[in-house]
Amino acid sequence: MLTLNLGVSALQAPNIARPEFSFDFNCFSPFSTVKFSLQNHTSSRTSFLVVRGKRSQDMSAQNLDIEMDEEEEEEDDDSEEYEARSGFRGKEEEKNYDKDPEFAEILGSCLDDPEKARSKMEDRLRKKRNKILHTKTGSGTPMKVTFNKFDFSNTYIWFEFNNAPLEKDISLICDTIRSWHIIGRLGGCNSMNMQLSQSPLEKRPTYDALQGANVNPTTFYNIGDLEVQDNLARIWVDIGTTEPLILDVLINALTQISSDYVGIKQLVFGGSELENWKENLTTEDAGYSVHRI
């Protein structure tokens, strides 16, 4: 390592003549690295001159490849980049903090005065309950369920709504029936394998895989499309397996839908006709529509 000191008039290197440097960079081959440090006593900053070269006996000028590497500029760039990133995050955090000053005030007072914070939160809920709680659009009257010559292998399920259902209501009913059919077709509604629901609640639940694999499987053979006429609808089903549990699953789901979303006056299992249903009404202009399950 040779050191160049700007405060000294000559380069001190014993027994070695000062080499002459050539800046023709295109004529050199790869070299190892030798670093020359230039120190300026009048400045607190130091820059480095990296000199690549292969040290030979005569220190030939053709064995030197000089590359300037200004580390001071890189450090300045890194610091500026860091400051830019830090500044961006700071603005983002400040924006999030100021997004809801009312809520920030409530959180700030919860440790000093919990009762005051609770009172503010209750007042906030009362003012914004329409945005937080959605009003039920269903019916307060429970859905009536009846059976009329129901057959598990070939029958209709009839719906009578309180009012003509909207498009979103029909979409919800179709999604529910579609999910019900998929679960039934996969054997999910099998009352012969109810191990967890029949186990005592005070004990740790256990499941016997061998018992579950040996029960008689259930399935859901086929299902038609949902037909709608005004406030009436029907769907043809072929459940195949005599499994009452699969009917309970559908009734429970439709009961919740009737209460929260679209009022269903009655649900009828079986029968080839329902009052006010017109078999010859098959055009959309007359209020008839078919929805694929």
Side-chain angles (χ1 to χ4, degrees), residues 14-244:
N15 300 327
I16 298 177
R18 184 167 52 185
E20 306 227 354
F21 296 94
S22 173
F23 289 90
D24 188 4
F25 296 96
N26 297 326
C27 62
F28 302 139
S29 57
F31 306 91
S32 59
T33 300
V34 177
K35 296 184 178 180
F36 289 85
S37 175
L38 300 179
Q39 183 176 3
N40 190 347
H41 296 285
T42 62
S43 174
S44 60
R45 295 185 178 181
T46 304
S47 62
F48 298 91
L49 176 65
V50 180
V51 181
R52 293 182 180 177
K54 183 177 180 181
R55 187 174 182 181
S56 61
Q57 186 175 1
D58 57 352
M59 296 294 291
S60 174
Q62 293 184 353
N63 293 333
L64 296 178
D65 181 12
I66 302 174
E67 177 183 343
M68 297 296 295
D69 182 14
E70 300 196 6
E71 297 182 356
E72 182 180 348
E73 294 181 1
E74 291 184 357
E75 292 178 357
D76 292 342
D77 294 339
D78 293 341
S79 62
E80 291 176 1
E81 183 178 359
Y82 175 78
E83 291 176 358
R85 290 197 301 264
S86 301
F88 177 77
R89 287 197 299 269
K91 293 180 180 179
E92 186 178 21
E93 291 174 356
E94 183 179 357
K95 181 179 180 180
N96 292 337
Y97 179 80
D98 293 338
K99 188 174 182 179
D100 195 339
E102 180 184 359
F103 192 67
E105 182 182 358
I106 295 175
L107 291 178
S109 60
C110 64
L111 296 178
D112 300 334
D113 193 349
E115 292 297 329
K116 182 179 179 181
R118 180 179 179 180
S119 177
K120 288 184 177 180
M121 181 60 70
E122 292 176 351
D123 183 61
R124 176 186 173 92
L125 291 176
R126 282 193 298 268
K127 291 180 180 179
K128 300 185 177 182
R129 63 179 294 111
N130 293 333
K131 297 182 179 179
I132 300 174
L133 303 176
H134 297 279
T135 305
K136 291 184 177 181
T137 57
S139 173
T141 304
M143 178 183 67
K144 182 181 178 181
V145 180
T146 58
F147 291 84
N148 181 19
K149 299 178 182 180
F150 177 74
D151 185 1
F152 277 92
S153 61
N154 181 15
T155 191
Y156 278 105
I157 299 177
W158 301 85
F159 302 80
E160 183 180 1
F161 300 96
N162 292 334
N163 301 292
L166 302 176
E167 188 65 29
K168 63 176 182 178
D169 300 331
I170 296 176
S171 177
L172 177 61
I173 297 295
C174 289
D175 290 342
T176 303
I177 296 175
R178 189 178 299 113
S179 302
W180 173 61
H181 173 244
I182 292 174
I183 294 176
R185 192 173 185 86
L186 294 175
C189 302
N190 192 342
S191 60
M192 300 301 294
N193 188 30
M194 306 284 291
Q195 298 183 42
L196 298 181
S197 62
Q198 295 174 357
S199 62
L201 297 177
E202 62 274 7
K203 296 183 179 180
R204 183 177 181 178
T206 59
Y207 187 86
D208 188 342
L210 185 60
Q211 177 184 344
N214 290 329
V215 298
N216 293 328
T218 61
T219 186
F220 196 135
Y221 289 166
N222 204 354
I223 192 170
D225 296 330
L226 182 68
E227 302 175 79
V228 179
Q229 286 185 9
D230 294 332
N231 68 322
L232 301 178
R234 73 176 182 180
I235 187 169
W236 175 85
V237 295
D238 181 7
I239 298 175
T241 307
T242 304
E243 179 53 81

